């Protein structure tokens, strides 16, 4: 069961955007994976910073 997702518009440098698109495409084989890759990266960054994510299982 997939959880409901909220949209969050963020801006990143062109270099970061290009790297994210390239990694997502290489990892998933399609561009639809960009959001999933970005979420995983942000989640790992926040956890590394000691920030607890609400509702995390």
């Amino acid at each position: 069961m997939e959880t409901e997702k909220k949209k969050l518009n963020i801006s990143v440098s062109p270099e970061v955007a290009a790297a994210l698109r390239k990694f997502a495409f290489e990892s998933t084989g399609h561009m639809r994976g960009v959001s999933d890759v970005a979420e995983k990266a942000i989640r790992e960054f926040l956890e590394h910073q000691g920030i607890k994510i609400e509702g995390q299982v």
Side-chain angles (χ1 to χ4, degrees):
M1 182 171 119
E2 191 169 325
T3 60
E4 180 182 333
K5 294 194 176 192
K6 304 283 183 187
K7 288 191 179 234
L8 174 67
N9 291 324
I10 60 170
S11 295
V12 295
S13 69
E15 297 85 6
V16 170
L20 179 61
R21 284 191 301 269
K22 181 179 181 206
F23 180 77
F25 186 77
E26 290 174 352
S27 299
T28 65
H30 50 78
M31 290 309 296
R32 291 185 305 258
V34 172
S35 291
D36 293 336
V37 170
E39 180 172 349
K40 183 178 178 188
I42 293 167
R43 181 178 295 270
E44 288 178 7
F45 172 79
L46 292 172
E47 290 172 349
H48 180 73
Q49 297 297 315
I51 299 171
K52 183 175 179 356
I53 299 173
E54 296 286 326
Q56 184 177 8
V57 180

